[in-house]
Amino acid sequence: MSNNQLDKKSQAWSALFSEPMSELVKRYTASVFFDKRLWRADIQGSLAHADMLCAQGLISADDLAAIQKGMAQITQEIESGAFEWKLDLEDVHLNIEARLTQLVGDAGKRLHTGRSRNDQVATDVRLWLRGEIDEIGVLLTELQKALVDVAEQNADVILPGFTHLQVAQPVAFGHHLLAYVEMFARDAERMTDLRRRVNRLPLGSAALAGTSYPLDRERVARTLGFEAVCQNSLDGVSDRDFAIEFTAAASLLMVHISRLSEELILWMSQSFGFIDLADRFCTGSSIMPQKKNPDVPELARGKTGRVVGHLMGLITLMKGQPLAYNKDNQEDKEPLFDTVDTLKDTLRIFAEMAAGITVKPEAMERAAKKGYATATDLADYLVKKGLPFRDAHEVVAHAVKDAIAAGVDLSELPLDKLKAYNPAIEQDVYEVLSLRGSLNARNILGGTAPEQVRAQVARHRQRLGDGKTQP
Ligand code: ARG
């Protein structure tokens, strides 16, 4: 290779080629305008590789020092915006390597010893993704903390619990919010689990078969903080299952976000009127002056489709690829980047939005009263008086039917009327028929009684490392 080989991509690739790449093909195959985002991981990986090459006696200490100096300058150039990214140099790897050679000469040309862009890019993406997973973990904790706070403030607030979107039984609003905390806790768990599989080192796989140089892969893994070394070179350079797995976990997370979004939107509608979102998260209408729209949850619901789309894109990208590396894999980056960006923005905005929810307890309670939400409690009451549950269920169905016809709640039926359904019914039934009585009765692990909600709040605080458990 001639001295400025890499810089001369506008000419032919190598002596093997008799003509330069067409402009159209150059644009089609280039990735630099999106993969330059990996520059920091690329330099980090190169420095670890160079350090190992030197330790193994494959390059001199002077070469290593020159590479380190050159990379420091490149870092500074990229950070300051002075670095000139060239389409001709195809991707982030060739751009940085060419600049290094320009700066430090032969030492730069020795960096690629025992390495291929195939194991280089796989290493870069894993390094980069690992850092993003850690940031997502922090954001997930913040969101959970915000929801736990609102849950605690609303441990006693009565919300109609729905099944089939029909009023079912009263639940504490705090209990409802903690259901989402459980979902996000599992999402965080999934991220932690898959991080282990992201955090493995492909470098040393070279193009596909490994390399004849005596590289110390364990040393590079240690330097870069990888937990393990990929044990098969063909697999190391080619599989993107780690990216797919991440995007699958991201999709599930977004599905949880979209369920919460749907509820926020419903709750804020005039028909429900259960909550209000702070003005800074809403928009108005250009034509209808009365409107305040919950755009943020609507968009989050929409962006869920986008992330699930990326999962479909990535998994389809992998399907049917023969071993080992294929250029198809260059297409892994944009969906991955966009998934990370969408996730991080959404988590940030939801943590803030949750903290700014205005709860309207009267409206929630009014809605709960409308739906005979304590009918099950009456059946349970009769069971405790000795009736078989199926008979009790039937008795209460009659009572509800009559109450609907009379336009009253069960708790509004006088005792003699109630006694007509079953003589075992006594004055104490009114406590059972009250929404609060129903709520308090579900004082079982995982149940909605405010006492349980508060116990769960404390457990989550402990788990999330929230100082609020301390007196
Ligand atoms: N830009 C490429 C990618 O993202 C780097 C690897 C290219 N390797 C190759 N043999 N063309 O996958």
Side-chain angles (χ1 to χ4, degrees):
M1 275 198 158
S2 72
N3 199 17
N4 284 325
Q5 182 73 44
L6 287 176
D7 234 359
K8 287 183 178 163
K9 275 294 156 51
S10 49
Q11 298 167 27
W13 247 99
S14 74
L16 187 66
F17 291 72
S18 57
E19 61 176 357
M21 210 187 249
S22 93
E23 282 304 314
L24 188 57
V25 172
K26 215 184 280 172
R27 262 195 291 122
Y28 195 70
T29 55
S31 55
V32 63
F33 289 111
F34 52 85
D35 69 14
K36 66 180 174 191
R37 182 170 172 163
L38 296 171
W39 70 268
R40 211 180 277 279
D42 194 66
I43 289 179
Q44 210 186 340
S46 286
L47 288 174
H49 182 67
D51 159 81
M52 178 274 296
L53 289 177
C54 178
Q56 296 298 96
L58 295 165
I59 61 170
S60 70
D62 283 351
D63 283 339
L64 174 59
I67 290 169
Q68 287 168 335
K69 189 159 168 275
M71 287 302 198
Q73 176 165 344
I74 292 171
T75 298
Q76 189 251 315
E77 287 176 3
I78 298 175
E79 278 175 347
S80 71
F83 191 89
E84 200 192 329
W85 297 101
K86 295 183 184 141
L87 183 81
D88 272 357
L89 290 170
E90 195 177 308
D91 58 22
V92 60
H93 324 292
L94 295 180
N95 267 272
I96 290 177
E97 194 187 333
R99 178 68 181 139
L100 181 70
T101 301
Q102 208 177 53
L103 290 171
V104 305
D106 281 357
K109 286 195 269 172
R110 293 202 177 95
L111 171 63
H112 214 49
T113 309
R115 188 176 74 167
S116 154
R117 273 188 299 156
N118 297 351
D119 57 349
Q120 186 178 357
V121 69
T123 302
D124 290 4
V125 175
R126 284 171 182 267
L127 260 183
W128 171 83
L129 185 57
R130 182 183 76 190
E132 296 296 335
I133 289 171
D134 292 343
E135 284 185 31
I136 287 166
V138 173
L139 294 173
L140 264 170
T141 301
E142 292 308 312
L143 173 57
Q144 291 178 73
K145 281 183 181 175
L147 288 171
V148 167
D149 284 347
V150 187
E152 183 176 45
Q153 291 150 20
N154 294 279
D156 294 288
V157 168
I158 290 171
L159 174 83
F162 295 104
T163 61
H164 314 274
L165 210 56
Q166 307 286 315
V167 172
Q169 293 173 357
V171 294
F173 187 52
H175 189 58
H176 195 104
L177 292 176
L178 289 183
Y180 285 100
V181 174
E182 293 290 334
M183 296 179 222
F184 295 132
R186 288 195 299 280
D187 289 322
E189 211 178 296
R190 261 185 285 276
M191 289 292 171
T192 306
D193 183 57
L194 70 91
R195 185 191 191 279
R196 295 187 298 122
R197 286 178 291 280
V198 171
N199 200 23
R200 291 176 190 170
L201 176 77
L203 218 55
S205 302
L208 76 164
T211 174
S212 57
Y213 296 101
L215 303 189
D216 183 351
R217 301 187 64 203
E218 298 288 350
R219 181 189 173 104
V220 178
R222 270 197 309 279
T223 309
L224 294 174
F226 281 109
E227 286 161 64
V229 169
C230 297
Q231 298 288 313
N232 181 295
S233 59
L234 297 162
D235 176 48
V237 291
S238 67
D239 207 340
R240 297 292 182 266
D241 58 353
F242 67 91
I244 295 170
E245 202 180 341
F246 167 78
T247 313
S251 296
L252 264 177
L253 204 178
M254 286 301 292
V255 164
H256 292 151
I257 288 274
S258 80
R259 296 184 68 190
L260 177 56
S261 297
E262 174 69 7
E263 300 212 286
L264 293 172
I265 294 162
L266 283 176
W267 291 340
M268 200 178 128
S269 70
Q270 282 74 16
S271 317
F272 281 74
F274 289 178
I275 61 155
D276 216 354
L277 294 177
D279 286 357
R280 62 185 181 282
F281 296 102
C282 299
T283 60
S285 157
S286 53
I287 177 168
M288 297 167 284
Q290 85 283 13
K291 294 277 276 188
K292 183 177 149 186
N293 297 327
D295 284 32
V296 168
E298 287 174 65
L299 258 178
R301 194 174 54 183
K303 284 177 190 289
T304 304
R306 174 176 174 146
V307 171
V308 173
H310 292 326
L311 170 61
M312 292 307 124
L314 282 176
I315 205 161
T316 311
L317 172 72
M318 203 69 242
K319 179 190 169 296
Q321 271 196 55
L323 286 174
Y325 176 86
N326 302 283
K327 188 79 166 182
D328 311 41
N329 283 342
Q330 182 164 290
E331 286 288 307
D332 65 352
K333 289 169 201 64
E334 286 162 295
L336 200 54
F337 293 165
D338 189 67
T339 299
V340 164
D341 292 341
T342 306
L343 214 59
K344 284 166 72 180
D345 282 350
T346 304
L347 288 172
R348 270 193 206 106
I349 212 162
F350 265 66
E352 267 189 51
M353 194 168 59
I357 291 179
T358 305
V359 179
K360 301 179 175 170
E362 306 78 28
M364 291 182 182
E365 196 162 337
R366 223 179 302 126
K369 271 205 178 112
K370 263 192 227 153
Y372 301 93
T374 57
T376 313
D377 296 85
L378 180 56
D380 291 342
Y381 173 87
L382 290 170
V383 168
K384 281 169 199 155
K385 301 268 178 182
L387 242 70
F389 181 77
R390 284 293 161 220
D391 293 342
H393 186 277
E394 188 59 16
V395 166
V396 177
H398 282 293
V400 170
K401 192 176 172 195
D402 296 344
I404 291 172
V408 296
D409 184 46
L410 286 176
S411 62
E412 287 163 339
L413 292 172
L415 187 59
D416 57 331
K417 272 256 170 68
L418 285 170
K419 265 188 175 307
Y421 297 109
N422 191 289
I425 295 177
E426 323 247 11
Q427 184 62 35
D428 61 352
V429 76
Y430 290 104
E431 170 59 16
V432 165
L433 287 176
S434 78
L435 293 171
R436 190 141 312 272
S438 168
L439 207 66
N440 289 335
R442 283 160 177 76
N443 197 2
I444 181 172
L445 177 66
T448 191
E451 200 181 312
Q452 294 293 335
V453 176
R454 276 187 268 273
Q456 293 291 339
V457 164
R459 181 179 69 81
H460 287 303
R461 287 247 159 88
Q462 189 111 53
R463 182 176 66 74
L464 295 165
D466 193 323
K468 286 181 186 152
T469 40
Q470 317 304 327

